[in-house]
Amino acid sequence: MDQYASALLAFPPQNEPADNETYHKAAMLHIQRISKMIKERPKDLVAFSAELINVIDPAVNSLSYLAILHALIFPSLAAKVPQNFILEKLTTFLMVFDGRQCRYGGFPLLDVLDAVGNGRLLPPSVAVECLATAILKLDPSGTILTSSHILLAKLAYDTDNIEPALPVIEKDIVYYPGMANYHDAQYPCDLELPPPLYISKTSGLTTLLKNTMVLEYDLLCGMMYCARREWWKARKAFERVVTFPTKDTGCSKIMVDAFKKWILVSLLSEGRHCNTPPPYTSESTLKMFGILCRAYISFATAFATDDVEQLKLEVQNNAQLWVEDGNIGLIEEVMASYQKWRVLSLQDIYTKISIAEIRAQTKSAETGAVLNKDEDVEALVQNMIIAGMLNGVIEKNDDGTKFLLFLSPTTHLSEEEMAREIRAHTVRLRGLKDIFTATSQRLGTSKEYIKWVIKDSKRDKTSDGQDLTLTFETQIDDEDLMGGIPNH
Amino acid sequence: MDSGLLPFFTAMENQGNVIVKGLPACPFSTNHSTDLSSLPDAPNFDLELYISNYKGRTRFDRLLHIGQCSVPLCVDALKAAVVEAKKGKDTQRYRDAWEHLRLAGPNEPEAQFDEAWVNNTGRSNRALTHQLEAELKGYKNNLVKESIRIGHRDLGEHLEAIGNLNGSAEAYVKMRPDASTVSHVIEISKHMTGILLQKRDWAGILTNVNKLTPSNMTADEINAEQPHQKMVCGLAYLGSEKYAEAAKCFLETGDPNICQRYNDVASSNDIATYGGLLALASMERDELQARVLDNSSFRTFLELEPHIRKAVSMFVNCRYSACLEILERYRSDYLLDIYLQKHVHKIFSLIRKKCIVQYLVPFSCVTLDSMNAVFAKPDESLEAELISMMKSGALKARINTIDKLLVMASSEPRAVMQAKALKTVMDYEEETLERIRRMSLVAADLEVKGQGRKGLGGAGGIGGLPGLGDILRDDITSESNLSVEGMS
């Protein structure tokens, strides 16, 4: 056992941090040694695992720890060791492992993450948190979508453990596994690397994805935001699905579903639905949306008017459809918010308006009538002010009539506030630079691009005087040029 | 209203005609002062004087139009229309006028149907048509270009006179191959626009109107032809609701003496009215001053219609209520004009809105009472109109219903600038990420693909919209059941 222990503790080297090359070599050697060990005497490892695992620090000797865990969990949970003990260690490992080291973790790590993501080993709330932490440890920027992301999203949404998944969900995804012209880096341990160079199918840290999985991930993100009532973020997520790149007039049912939700969430976040998604949505897809989501579009159109009867009619006529699409919850939300948006629209017309007038002018979409008492309106307006939806105050006149005072929507910032905002944005833009460089490097070194550059430079050379039809014109040009320059 | 007239006007109203109940003021005689014409019972719209301003087929159209619309002038106008129709050769017109008169005034001597006249005229018309056609055939056999042209023209003019507009248009078109001089071409175009004007084909006129002034004309010729061209063009723009363009055309009409020659289209009085009203509806104050009041050629027109000049100068001098009052007094006259009638309401409301906006320019805050005093009819509030103007974005102001004020929206360029700057940064960030994301998706070959290319050999067309089956082929049964039940 001591022999095992010394082998397992051999990596990483204790002395001062090594450069990438040394680290890489050491890691490879270590992996070789452990795999050999596991292959030769797998039973011993399990037998001593309890003692070994207590000796090894998951945060320092992550690879070794992973190897033992893997041996304990796969192919099935080891019978000799208490299950709780294994799961406790698993949890600890996922929470604290060293991200740099585990870039060498490969398929054993993916196995562990998959098992956790499938929800078989740990209770969902723990699983979601562990998985989210592990994903961000491997890729702190969170910019590449992996198979673990998809498991995480499904698990979190299905078991309603959204909160712990948020740190992962909220990251902007810009890379996907299997992108052309990304090859695994020479030294995956290099901390400067963009994530697609060490998280890939070949490095074993993710599997390849299908486009339906990517679409589903964004759809699930949107629905999680819906559950948290963060309409604006939900809208952005659905928008990613709606604008998904398509080829040869393709369209996916997930995109259509997302478009429906996108419309409803737009209503909730902005009070109206702008008819067209961003310009890069393909035209054939737009046509398809127009045909398949007609009921939603006319509902959205009715929402932006004062005609409450029409809105109610739209809802009633399509009652069955909402249920079939699973959007009844959103529709109810939208209907509940109708009056608020009507009140808000009054700010384009009034600066001060009495509560009684608001009551007379806005109707509730749920009943289709005005509210019964001024107090109800007052409560509604108060809620809107508290929620930050409405920028205004309720005041009382000398004669006792209460009125709503709309405050100016554009409050201008002081010089310092403005500077702070700008600074914050600058930092964010600087953050984009990494992604930008990685992408431009990828595109700049792609085979097609290099071929094109070579061809282009050749064409430049050949066109000098060889094309007979051009020579005459160039001569004329020369003469003209010379004629224009005075002789010094 | 005369009891006999009531059913007649009910029928007219059902046909969608505008009914003018009041007596028109006298717009067509410069001798009458406005004070006199404002008296409601002074019957000083002189139908004979009015109709004597015109010649040609438009006389009948105008008489019939007045007969259909004006309650006090109905019977007189219809009687005149019957007489007018019998002067001509168009039996259908006689029938139309007689139909109307039969309903409106069955006891009038003109209400007796003159069958003998109809039969005789019909017979002689047919004979003349045959004769002209035979002559034309003869000319064609002789191959004399000028005779053929004249033959077509005579036939066209005859067909126009008997009311066969399509036939006459055809005949006029056939003149073109034999037209040898500029004046011939202009003559054809005049005939054509005349027909199109009677058919109310505004788009047709606008495409043909350039042919009225071919490019190789001398300055004198242009001066002589311009009034007609501008008049027709202006009417076409008016008909297609392009008021600004129409106003420009009327203002550039040119010499009133030449204009008088074309009173089969419109009279000089009409030009003054159209030009003035449309300019009021579409131009700003300084433009009105420069292009209407200081326009030497248009001034002669305005002398014919002093009230229009007065209204324009009132507007320029910021006496908006006086301006509106003058126009309102003449509203019923404008409603009797065949070309203007449909647009009176729109033009008036445009002028009124402009008055309101202009009135508010120097103020930051106006009491609603003072607004009502200036613009509203007695016992009516302006609020609804103001609200509709604010909603359409024509007026940038807010109402304060508590203090009964209209507050101008103050623009804060600083806040606007700040918001714009921050928005630009955010949009940039968002767009960069999104574009890189899309590039990555394409690089990873994750686009949703249609079946366009695969279906090359199949029945489906290439590049067409995929059918429902294509969309539904995603194997995502699990997602379609997803719903937002998570929300609570």
Side-chain angles (χ1 to χ4, degrees):
Chain A
M1 185 200 129
D2 288 346
Q3 186 194 342
Y4 286 135
S6 64
L8 290 169
L9 288 170
F11 185 82
Q14 297 293 321
N15 44 14
E16 71 273 13
D19 59 59
N20 288 332
E21 191 181 347
T22 344
Y23 191 93
H24 178 71
K25 280 183 183 153
M28 293 313 279
L29 187 72
H30 184 64
I31 291 171
Q32 235 171 24
R33 216 182 280 160
I34 300 180
S35 15
K36 198 170 145 202
M37 205 157 71
I38 295 173
K39 210 181 279 173
E40 286 168 2
R41 281 163 296 184
K43 292 217 172 106
D44 291 1
L45 198 64
V46 176
F48 295 128
S49 59
E51 291 85 4
L52 285 174
I53 220 162
N54 280 331
V55 178
I56 305 169
D57 182 353
V60 181
N61 309 101
S62 306
L63 278 176
S64 313
Y65 204 93
L66 173 66
I68 302 171
L69 268 181
H70 191 262
L72 285 175
I73 300 173
F74 294 98
S76 57
L77 280 179
K80 290 176 192 162
V81 190
Q83 198 170 339
N84 278 347
F85 176 76
I86 301 179
L87 296 182
E88 191 193 316
K89 295 295 169 190
L90 171 66
T91 319
T92 331
F93 170 73
L94 289 174
M95 297 303 283
V96 300
F97 73 79
D98 175 9
R100 187 184 183 197
Q101 213 174 107
C102 281
R103 290 180 186 185
Y104 294 94
F107 74 89
L109 182 59
L110 190 62
D111 277 349
V112 172
L113 293 180
D114 278 356
V116 173
N118 283 329
R120 287 202 308 263
L121 296 174
L122 301 171
S125 58
V126 182
V128 171
E129 190 161 355
C130 287
L131 201 55
T133 320
I135 288 173
L136 287 182
K137 272 198 176 295
L138 269 179
D139 169 22
S141 66
T143 44
I144 185 165
L145 189 72
T146 64
S147 45
S148 317
H149 277 81
I150 289 158
L151 290 174
L152 173 75
K154 274 188 189 164
L155 186 67
Y157 182 73
D158 289 346
T159 60
D160 198 16
N161 286 299
I162 294 163
E163 182 97 37
L166 283 179
V168 174
I169 302 291
E170 280 179 345
K171 297 273 192 255
D172 296 309
I173 302 279
V174 285
Y175 302 119
Y176 297 89
M179 289 163 61
N181 206 36
Y182 267 133
H183 306 292
D184 285 357
Q186 194 179 3
Y187 306 125
C189 53
D190 184 352
L191 290 175
E192 305 283 304
L193 286 180
L197 292 184
Y198 61 87
I199 300 181
S200 65
K201 189 177 174 242
T202 40
S203 77
L205 292 175
T206 177
T207 57
L208 285 183
L209 302 178
K210 279 197 261 173
N211 54 26
T212 43
M213 295 160 94
V214 180
L215 287 168
E216 195 189 339
Y217 175 74
D218 281 326
L219 185 72
L220 281 171
C221 287
M223 297 195 348
M224 279 190 249
Y225 288 128
C226 283
R228 291 177 58 79
R229 303 168 155 273
E230 295 183 36
W231 309 123
W232 191 78
K233 286 183 180 171
R235 177 164 177 257
K236 284 282 155 206
F238 290 135
E239 205 165 283
R240 286 200 292 273
V241 186
V242 169
T243 61
F244 201 80
T246 62
K247 214 158 121 184
D248 303 335
T249 66
C251 183
S252 153
K253 189 174 182 304
I254 306 180
M255 289 167 75
V256 179
D257 276 356
F259 184 75
K260 294 171 180 170
K261 293 186 198 296
W262 180 74
I263 291 182
L264 298 179
V265 175
S266 302
L267 296 181
L268 284 166
S269 70
E270 294 182 9
R272 67 200 163 80
H273 153 63
C274 50
N275 253 319
T276 44
Y280 30 79
T281 322
S282 71
E283 238 167 69
S284 60
T285 328
L286 274 182
K287 255 187 219 167
M288 193 100 58
F289 289 155
I291 298 164
L292 293 174
C293 310
R294 201 171 287 150
Y296 287 85
I297 292 170
S298 56
F299 171 72
T301 316
F303 184 83
T305 63
D306 284 322
D307 191 353
V308 73
E309 290 305 317
Q310 178 64 26
L311 185 72
K312 282 190 73 176
L313 210 65
E314 292 282 350
V315 173
Q316 282 161 8
N317 287 348
N318 295 302
Q320 188 63 30
L321 180 75
W322 314 136
V323 178
E324 278 166 16
D325 287 344
N327 285 334
I328 187 78
L330 275 178
I331 290 277
E332 277 166 9
E333 277 288 332
V334 173
M335 291 301 270
S337 77
Y338 174 77
Q339 192 169 14
K340 291 185 189 165
W341 286 104
R342 292 336 300 162
V343 172
L344 206 58
S345 75
L346 292 178
Q347 74 174 354
D348 295 334
I349 295 169
Y350 300 99
T351 53
K352 283 184 191 176
I353 181 167
S354 70
I355 296 291
E357 278 168 308
I358 297 182
R359 187 167 81 92
Q361 291 200 16
T362 60
K363 287 176 182 168
S364 155
E366 278 146 338
T367 56
V370 297
L371 293 184
N372 291 329
K373 287 180 298 204
D374 283 356
E375 284 76 28
D376 294 346
V377 181
E378 200 184 330
L380 180 86
V381 173
Q382 277 303 4
N383 283 336
M384 287 171 67
I385 295 173
I386 292 166
M389 192 175 171
L390 175 72
N391 189 10
V393 277
I394 293 183
E395 286 179 4
K396 209 171 190 179
N397 222 354
D398 295 339
D399 59 2
T401 44
K402 283 188 176 168
F403 62 89
L404 171 63
L405 168 65
F406 291 104
L407 299 175
S408 163
T410 50
T411 47
H412 72 93
L413 308 165
S414 74
E415 248 354 90
E416 289 93 63
E417 282 170 318
M418 184 69 190
R420 206 178 310 132
E421 286 275 323
I422 295 279
R423 261 200 301 279
H425 281 292
T426 321
V427 171
R428 287 174 65 93
L429 287 184
R430 289 235 170 85
L432 289 184
K433 214 182 108 198
D434 290 345
I435 299 170
F436 196 83
T437 338
T439 308
S440 103
Q441 207 164 21
R442 172 177 73 82
L443 294 172
T445 56
S446 78
K447 249 187 217 161
E448 289 81 9
Y449 178 71
I450 292 171
K451 267 187 201 162
W452 180 81
V453 170
I454 294 169
K455 228 177 170 181
D456 205 47
S457 64
K458 269 187 194 158
R459 198 170 44 211
D460 277 353
K461 274 181 208 155
T462 51
S463 66
D464 282 347
Q466 287 197 6
D467 194 337
L468 284 175
T469 50
L470 281 175
T471 44
F472 179 69
E473 277 188 323
T474 41
Q475 273 171 9
I476 296 284
D477 270 358
D478 273 345
E479 274 173 20
D480 283 348
L481 274 174
M482 296 314 283
I485 301 167
N487 281 328
H488 289 291
Chain B
M1 195 188 289
D2 193 340
S3 59
L5 287 178
L6 189 60
F8 173 73
F9 279 104
T10 318
M12 287 295 114
E13 199 157 20
N14 290 341
Q15 285 171 23
N17 284 333
V18 178
I19 308 299
V20 185
K21 294 201 181 96
L23 273 166
C26 180
F28 302 107
S29 125
T30 48
N31 311 333
H32 291 81
S33 73
T34 42
D35 292 351
L36 183 64
S37 56
S38 65
L39 294 172
D41 17 345
N44 47 14
F45 179 95
D46 193 335
L47 193 65
E48 254 170 56
L49 191 65
Y50 167 72
I51 208 65
S52 68
N53 276 327
Y54 302 95
K55 69 168 188 222
R57 284 171 62 84
T58 193
R59 281 166 65 95
F60 174 83
D61 285 333
R62 286 172 192 270
L63 286 171
L64 184 64
H65 179 78
I66 294 174
Q68 284 170 337
C69 300
S70 170
V71 175
L73 295 172
C74 169
V75 178
D76 287 342
L78 288 175
K79 275 159 71 179
V82 169
V83 174
E84 180 68 29
K86 279 178 88 171
K87 273 192 219 158
K89 298 190 282 185
D90 189 344
T91 51
Q92 186 54 42
R93 292 191 144 186
Y94 174 68
R95 273 181 227 276
D96 285 345
W98 170 77
E99 279 291 334
H100 283 106
L101 187 58
R102 191 171 61 104
L103 288 171
N107 301 327
E108 302 293 332
E110 283 87 349
Q112 300 301 317
F113 190 65
D114 189 348
E115 196 149 8
W117 180 84
V118 170
N119 289 338
N120 287 335
T121 315
R123 210 174 302 126
S124 69
N125 283 345
R126 277 192 295 279
L128 191 55
T129 312
H130 284 307
Q131 189 199 332
L132 286 170
E133 278 170 353
E135 277 173 17
L136 181 62
K137 222 173 188 176
Y139 296 146
K140 278 184 180 167
N141 288 336
N142 292 336
L143 291 174
V144 179
K145 274 185 150 229
E146 184 60 12
S147 316
I148 300 176
R149 194 180 69 85
I150 299 290
H152 277 305
R153 190 195 66 193
D154 289 349
L155 181 63
E157 278 173 357
H158 167 68
L159 289 176
E160 187 182 344
I162 64 171
N164 183 352
L165 295 181
N166 290 334
S168 78
E170 219 170 278
Y172 289 141
V173 168
K174 283 183 185 157
M175 287 167 73
R176 195 148 285 165
D178 300 308
S180 45
T181 66
V182 171
S183 60
H184 289 170
V185 175
I186 296 175
E187 191 188 348
I188 298 168
S189 302
K190 272 186 195 164
H191 280 302
M192 283 306 291
T193 44
I195 299 281
L196 291 169
L197 201 61
Q198 288 180 56
K199 288 163 87 175
R200 302 277 191 277
D201 181 354
W202 309 123
I205 295 179
L206 288 177
T207 51
N208 273 304
V209 84
N210 284 332
K211 292 175 192 156
L212 283 170
T213 47
S215 50
N216 51 352
M217 285 166 74
T218 62
D220 284 348
E221 279 176 320
I222 290 179
N223 277 341
E225 294 305 331
Q226 184 175 322
H228 179 248
Q229 191 228 4
K230 292 287 174 194
M231 273 157 77
V232 176
C233 189
L235 284 177
Y237 277 125
L238 171 64
S240 37
E241 298 195 1
K242 291 180 179 154
Y243 299 135
E245 285 92 337
K248 263 182 219 156
C249 285
F250 289 123
L251 292 180
E252 289 165 5
T253 304
D255 193 343
N257 292 325
I258 302 176
C259 188
Q260 196 60 42
R261 269 185 242 158
Y262 298 106
N263 57 7
D264 55 335
V265 178
S267 69
S268 309
N269 300 66
D270 290 344
I271 302 297
T273 314
Y274 297 156
L277 276 184
L278 292 171
L280 266 179
S282 62
M283 288 178 186
E284 296 305 320
R285 276 174 49 209
D286 43 353
E287 235 180 321
L288 279 171
Q289 179 70 43
R291 303 181 69 158
V292 182
L293 295 180
D294 295 348
N295 180 339
S296 55
S297 73
F298 197 67
R299 194 179 299 153
T300 30
F301 286 102
L302 282 180
E303 275 162 15
L304 300 169
E305 297 286 324
H307 69 279
I308 289 281
R309 191 178 53 80
K310 214 168 173 184
V312 174
S313 56
M314 291 286 187
F315 186 87
V316 171
N317 294 327
C318 307
R319 295 177 57 197
Y320 304 111
S321 55
C323 165
L324 289 176
E325 199 182 310
I326 293 174
L327 294 180
E328 206 55 50
R329 210 184 296 153
Y330 284 86
R331 180 194 273 265
S332 48
D333 289 357
Y334 303 144
L335 283 171
L336 291 183
D337 185 277
I338 45 172
Y339 298 118
L340 204 53
Q341 186 190 63
K342 275 188 194 144
H343 305 283
V344 167
H345 182 70
K346 219 165 163 188
I347 293 173
F348 269 51
S349 89
L350 275 175
I351 297 176
R352 195 175 152 79
K353 277 180 185 163
K354 260 181 65 187
C355 283
I356 294 178
V357 173
Q358 288 290 330
Y359 175 85
L360 291 169
V361 166
F363 302 105
S364 70
C365 186
V366 183
T367 60
L368 283 176
D369 290 339
S370 67
M371 287 290 289
N372 281 337
V374 178
F375 290 108
K377 289 170 192 145
D379 302 328
E380 268 181 52
S381 175
L382 204 60
E383 216 171 304
E385 193 175 351
L386 289 175
I387 288 173
S388 81
M389 282 173 69
M390 284 179 224
K391 275 186 180 166
S392 68
L395 180 65
K396 293 206 169 16
R398 305 275 181 273
I399 294 176
N400 176 343
T401 61
I402 302 300
D403 309 320
K404 301 284 172 205
L405 291 175
L406 186 68
V407 187
M408 297 301 109
S410 58
S411 67
E412 294 175 61
R414 192 183 173 73
V416 173
M417 182 275 290
Q418 286 177 341
K420 204 172 167 186
L422 292 179
K423 192 177 176 321
T424 313
V425 180
M426 280 194 281
D427 285 353
Y428 173 80
E429 188 188 340
E430 202 171 283
E431 193 172 333
T432 311
L433 281 175
E434 178 63 20
R435 285 191 185 271
I436 293 181
R437 187 180 83 94
R438 299 175 75 78
M439 280 193 263
S440 303
L441 279 171
V442 174
D445 196 24
L446 284 171
E447 303 121 302
V448 174
K449 293 173 193 77
Q451 288 178 317
R453 297 227 175 115
K454 277 186 230 157
L456 255 175
I462 316 148
L465 273 179
L468 265 182
D470 297 339
I471 311 160
L472 299 174
R473 69 202 167 84
D474 297 324
D475 48 344
I476 47 149
T477 36
S478 58
E479 286 87 42
S480 55
N481 294 334
L482 290 174
S483 65
V484 275
E485 288 149 6
M487 299 178 1
S488 54

